Amino acid sequence: MKRAQFASSFGVIAVTVGSAVGLGNIWRFPYEAGSNGGGAFLLLNVLFVFLIGVPVVAAEFVIGRYTGLSVRSAFKKLAPGEAWNLIGYTGLAGAILILGFYSVVAGWTMEYIFESLRGFGGVESVEGLHGRFDAFASDTWKPLLWTLLFLSANFIVLIRGVAGGIEKASNFLMPLLFLILLAFAINSFTLDKASEGLKFLFHPDLSKLTGTSVLDAMGQAFFSLSVGMGCLITYASYFKRDTPLVKTSVITASLDTFVAILSGIIIFPAVFTFGQEPAAGPKLVFEVLPSIFCHMTGGMIWSTLFFILLFVASLTSTLSICEVSIAYMVDELNMKRTKAVIITILIGIALASLCSLSFGPLSDIRIAGRNIFDMFDFAASNVLLPIGGMLVSIYVGFKMDRMIVKSELLKGEKSAAMRGFVRFIIFSLRWICPGAIGLVFLFGLGIF
Ligand code: PHE
């Protein structure tokens, strides 16, 4: 069967940005920045995105487009029997773990769409709103049901295939998302303690950084760019021959970073205005945002819109996560797409249920101090994705035929700036990425 392709160049950007922009930017970035000193974390994150992230994104694109295959099959073709094939498995494992915890948070956003419509039951105080979130997240059934519903929404889009389902949905939803975020960011400047919040986000206080915050900033960069688990290899296998890979990487990374900064601009002024704690962890966005909405005119309409948007952003990301496993089963196991979609969603349901219950009945299960949800996030973002990114950079930087890499990177690239950038990408893949990722990794895990 002929391989599916994304239909337009707008579609390529929409699906790639759709994968990158998600809960990682709007939910994960603010709480990671909040727990790691704000500005210093942002600075490190931006450095990681552009010095390491963009080159690895481009390298994944090269592998995917050149082989026209998903992650496991691509390495089987490029380096049969060699250790590089490990990337196929770290990628799959990462995808499945991320699908598990991500679907839970996406489920929370669905509950919050309805909470907004109900006006948060008339509760307006910060304590009251915290209590409502805690009671919801630790409940056994409610979050679980939303998670299941969210995975069913994935099923409905995925079953329609690549161009028909994923691309069509992203073309329409991604531009809408940008517009709504921009409106919220502008509103943020009118809050009482806007300047304190903006200072926290933009003023880097390097003394706040520890070994783990450096690892967190790198994990956040990988997670947010959807890189290191073969997701972009899989997407690039659906690119056309003349899709410009470097331009697509740079646009994706820039928009992705822009959205993370926007959500910081939305969250931190509110954190300070309403006297909340920037280091509140995964609940931050769900506790802080309702406080803003309760103090805005027409707040509940804005709130409903915001959570719809967050739901949409999550959906376009999980579609790409599921695609890693679906394409694996189709390419590698010769399975029909429908069957592969069903199996992937069932695995998602099993793991997401564990993560959801880890806030309630399973909260006593702790691994190295983390509950199941946090453990899945840590193992995927801070361990599997960096390992995947390091292997991809070494493979494309040193092992893959230099002429192929260059010609893939230059294809369709019309601007002189992007063509010049190719040299930096190759340099970084060889001399910056492997060493930097390795060092941060050992340092962050406390081995160094
Ligand atoms: N980048 C997505 C986000 O920021 C999450 C993701 C990670 C998607 C890995 C695909 C692969 O929400």
Side-chain angles (χ1 to χ4, degrees):
M1 200 170 83
K2 194 171 169 293
R3 194 163 189 85
Q5 268 192 351
F6 293 128
S8 67
S9 41
F10 182 79
V12 165
I13 299 282
V15 288
T16 317
V17 175
S19 164
V21 171
L23 290 171
N25 314 59
I26 302 169
W27 158 78
R28 198 175 188 278
F29 173 79
Y31 87 73
E32 286 284 347
S35 321
N36 289 296
F41 183 86
L42 173 61
L43 181 72
L44 270 183
N45 184 250
V46 170
L47 284 178
F48 282 128
V49 165
F50 288 96
L51 290 181
I52 298 178
V54 170
V56 183
V57 169
E60 284 205 16
F61 283 165
V62 166
I63 295 173
R65 205 227 339 249
Y66 176 69
T67 58
L69 292 168
S70 55
V71 55
R72 170 81 187 96
S73 319
F75 280 98
K76 222 167 141 191
K77 177 170 165 185
L78 288 172
E82 294 179 31
W84 307 105
N85 285 279
L86 247 179
I87 306 174
Y89 297 114
T90 53
L92 265 177
I96 284 168
L97 290 180
I98 294 176
L99 186 63
F101 75 86
Y102 205 95
S103 307
V104 174
V105 184
W108 294 350
T109 68
M110 293 170 85
E111 161 79 3
Y112 268 61
I113 297 175
F114 288 89
E115 271 284 278
S116 314
L117 288 171
R118 280 187 232 120
F120 295 99
V123 175
E124 286 197 0
S125 69
V126 171
E127 295 74 33
L129 290 165
H130 285 196
R132 255 179 115 76
F133 179 79
D134 287 340
F136 161 69
S138 57
D139 187 70
T140 307
W141 293 108
K142 248 183 158 184
L144 201 58
L145 286 175
W146 282 122
T147 305
L148 293 186
L149 219 77
F150 176 74
L151 284 163
S152 317
N154 278 267
F155 176 79
I156 293 169
V157 182
L158 286 166
I159 215 84
R160 288 163 200 271
V162 173
I166 303 182
E167 186 179 355
K168 275 217 180 97
S170 310
N171 277 349
F172 160 69
L173 298 171
M174 294 315 292
L176 183 73
L177 187 148
F178 275 95
L179 283 181
I180 301 179
L181 275 181
L182 218 58
F184 279 115
I186 293 170
N187 172 67
S188 229
F189 286 95
T190 65
L191 293 176
D192 283 351
K193 297 207 172 145
S195 58
E196 231 173 282
L198 295 175
K199 186 165 171 233
F200 179 78
L201 178 65
F202 290 114
H203 179 77
D205 176 359
L206 297 182
S207 68
K208 297 259 172 61
L209 292 179
T210 62
T212 10
S213 29
V214 183
L215 179 64
D216 282 347
M218 184 171 79
Q220 171 61 21
F222 276 83
F223 182 84
S224 190
L225 290 171
S226 309
V227 83
M229 51 170 260
C231 179
L232 301 175
I233 295 182
T234 307
Y235 264 18
S237 74
Y238 307 131
F239 284 4
K240 294 213 169 86
R241 283 272 134 223
D242 60 350
T243 299
L245 302 185
V246 178
K247 189 170 149 199
T248 309
S249 321
V250 173
I251 295 182
T252 306
S254 310
L255 290 176
D256 190 57
T257 308
F258 179 61
V259 174
I261 294 177
L262 273 185
S263 65
I265 296 179
I266 297 173
I267 310 277
F268 291 114
V271 166
F272 288 94
T273 305
F274 302 113
Q276 309 204 13
E277 192 37 63
K283 346 188 245 181
L284 182 72
V285 166
F286 290 90
E287 297 190 337
V288 169
L289 288 174
S291 327
I292 316 182
F293 300 133
C294 288
H295 292 82
M296 277 166 82
T297 13
M300 290 312 125
I301 300 172
W302 287 110
S303 180
T304 313
L305 251 175
F306 185 88
F307 286 108
I308 291 179
L309 160 102
L310 205 49
F311 163 75
V312 165
S314 324
L315 185 65
T316 53
S317 296
T318 42
L319 293 176
S320 73
I321 300 172
C322 291
E323 197 59 31
V324 173
S325 137
I326 296 167
Y328 165 77
M329 291 184 214
V330 172
D331 288 346
E332 205 51 32
L333 312 175
N334 277 325
M335 218 179 254
K336 285 242 164 52
R337 185 172 172 92
T338 315
K339 190 168 167 198
V341 171
I342 295 174
I343 297 181
T344 302
I345 296 294
L346 287 177
I347 297 176
I349 290 178
L351 295 182
S353 304
L354 282 177
C355 290
S356 178
L357 294 172
S358 73
F359 287 95
L362 301 185
S363 61
D364 286 342
I365 303 182
R366 301 255 155 192
I367 310 152
R370 296 182 169 86
N371 66 6
I372 301 176
F373 176 100
D374 286 336
M375 197 56 213
F376 275 30
D377 185 357
F378 181 83
S381 316
N382 290 8
V383 181
L384 292 171
L385 300 192
I387 289 181
M390 180 152 87
L391 292 176
V392 164
S393 62
I394 300 175
Y395 184 79
V396 176
F398 289 104
K399 273 293 280 186
M400 204 168 170
D401 184 329
R402 195 63 182 270
M403 292 320 286
I404 297 176
V405 175
K406 266 195 152 161
S407 90
E408 283 294 338
L409 288 174
L410 287 169
K411 221 175 270 172
E413 240 26 286
K414 298 201 183 79
S415 91
M418 291 299 160
R419 296 177 74 86
F421 201 55
V422 168
R423 292 191 32 205
F424 166 75
I425 290 185
I426 296 179
F427 176 82
S428 170
L429 289 174
R430 302 182 120 204
W431 308 114
I432 305 181
C433 299
I437 300 172
L439 270 181
V440 172
F441 194 56
L442 297 178
F443 191 55
L445 291 182
I447 297 172
F448 219 37

